[in-house]
């Protein structure tokens, strides 16, 4: 795995995401309740603070939880909720150590079908169905991991030429399109909620 991603909009952070399976997984885990670039910059920041070139699942899994939480809380914080995300990252790394001998690429290496890969991703701590489908779409669209039926397993996120998620971001232009889509979705959800509230009276 060695591709150029444009998720953090920061060359060093994106280079790490493109060559490190664990960094990509951690970035995806962090991608909630904060701007996408902030989330995907996290793995690089964590590696720098650990004094390493890459993230090591064994090392992170074994670290003292309070020590790791304070590492993420240092300013600038890795996430809006550094304490709870530190816990989730450690749980993810512990799972990768236990099930894949510390090698995050084991999650998708040699998987025969998109459905099986989705199942594996959904089993990861902190990955619900939506997050798993988005990461599956990212693997298929940008990281060359394309088991049979991967687009179907990724649902709407797997559609070609769609701009729904991080899986579709390849530069500033596509980032703008994905942002616009997310705003539309938020507005639609808000309108739907308002309609239900007035309709229910």
């Amino acid at each position: 795995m060695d591709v150029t991603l444009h998720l953090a909009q920061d060359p060093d952070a994106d280079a790490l995401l493109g060559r490190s399976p664990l960094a990509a997984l951690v970035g995806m885990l962090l991608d909630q309740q904060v701007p996408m670039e902030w989330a995907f910059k996290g793995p690089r920041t964590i590696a720098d603070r650990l004094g390493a070139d890459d993230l090591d699942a064994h090392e992170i899994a074994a670290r003292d939880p309070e020590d790791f939480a304070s590492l993420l809380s240092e300013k600038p914080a890795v996430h809006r909720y550094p304490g709870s995300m530190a816990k989730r990252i450690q749980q993810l790394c512990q799972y990768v150590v236990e099930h894949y001998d510390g090698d995050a690429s084991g999650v998708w290496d040699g998987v025969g079908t998109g459905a099986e890969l989705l199942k594996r991703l959904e089993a990861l701590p902190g990955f619900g169905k939506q997050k798993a489908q988005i990461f599956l779409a990212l693997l298929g669209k940008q990281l060359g991991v394309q088991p049979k039926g991967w687009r179907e397993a990724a649902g709407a996120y797997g559609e070609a030429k769609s701009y729904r998620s991080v899986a579709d971001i390849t530069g500033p232009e596509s980032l703008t399109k994905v942002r616009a889509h997310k705003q539309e979705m938020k507005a639609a959800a808000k309108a739907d909620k308002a309609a239900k509230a007035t309709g229910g009276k």
Side-chain angles (χ1 to χ4, degrees):
M1 184 168 134
D2 193 5
V3 298
T4 304
L5 293 178
H6 301 275
L7 305 180
Q9 305 289 304
D10 172 286
D12 287 344
D14 280 326
L16 178 62
L17 295 169
R19 66 181 163 79
S20 166
L22 183 58
L25 277 178
V26 169
M28 190 73 229
L29 181 66
L30 289 167
D31 188 23
Q32 54 193 22
Q33 298 170 301
V34 294
M36 181 203 75
E37 299 95 319
W38 184 4
F40 282 97
K41 213 172 177 176
R44 176 78 266 172
T45 306
I46 295 167
D48 287 345
R49 290 178 186 176
L50 288 169
D53 288 333
D54 194 357
L55 299 182
D56 182 315
H58 289 278
E59 186 191 349
I60 293 171
R63 274 190 97 84
D64 175 72
E66 282 185 27
D67 174 48
F68 191 61
S70 65
L71 188 93
L72 267 70
S73 304
E74 275 176 38
K75 287 193 171 22
V78 168
H79 193 274
R80 183 175 290 152
Y81 304 106
S84 60
M85 291 317 280
K87 192 175 176 182
R88 285 188 181 184
I89 291 169
Q90 283 198 291
Q91 286 170 342
L92 174 66
C93 289
Q94 283 155 3
Y95 186 91
V96 168
V97 166
E98 196 180 321
H99 296 267
Y100 300 102
D101 199 25
D103 180 5
S105 66
V107 176
W108 51 85
D109 278 352
V111 172
T113 65
E116 187 190 341
L117 178 50
L118 181 63
K119 208 169 156 185
R120 285 191 183 192
L121 290 166
E122 284 184 291
L124 296 172
F127 277 66
K129 184 171 186 181
Q130 186 186 33
K131 199 178 274 290
Q133 285 188 312
I134 291 171
F135 195 78
L136 175 49
L138 177 66
L139 285 169
K141 289 179 175 183
Q142 298 199 49
L143 298 169
V145 178
Q146 301 178 333
K148 192 180 173 191
W150 71 271
R151 284 192 190 275
E152 291 77 6
Y157 301 108
E159 290 171 14
K161 295 188 170 66
S162 65
Y163 294 95
R164 294 174 191 274
S165 72
V166 299
D168 305 301
I169 295 170
T170 53
E173 194 185 328
S174 48
L175 172 61
T176 306
K177 288 180 182 177
V178 170
R179 280 249 155 82
H181 174 77
K182 286 191 172 183
Q183 293 301 338
E184 280 169 33
M185 297 303 283
K186 269 185 186 168
K190 206 173 177 182
D192 187 45
K193 199 176 175 184
K196 278 180 183 162
T198 51
K201 284 179 181 172

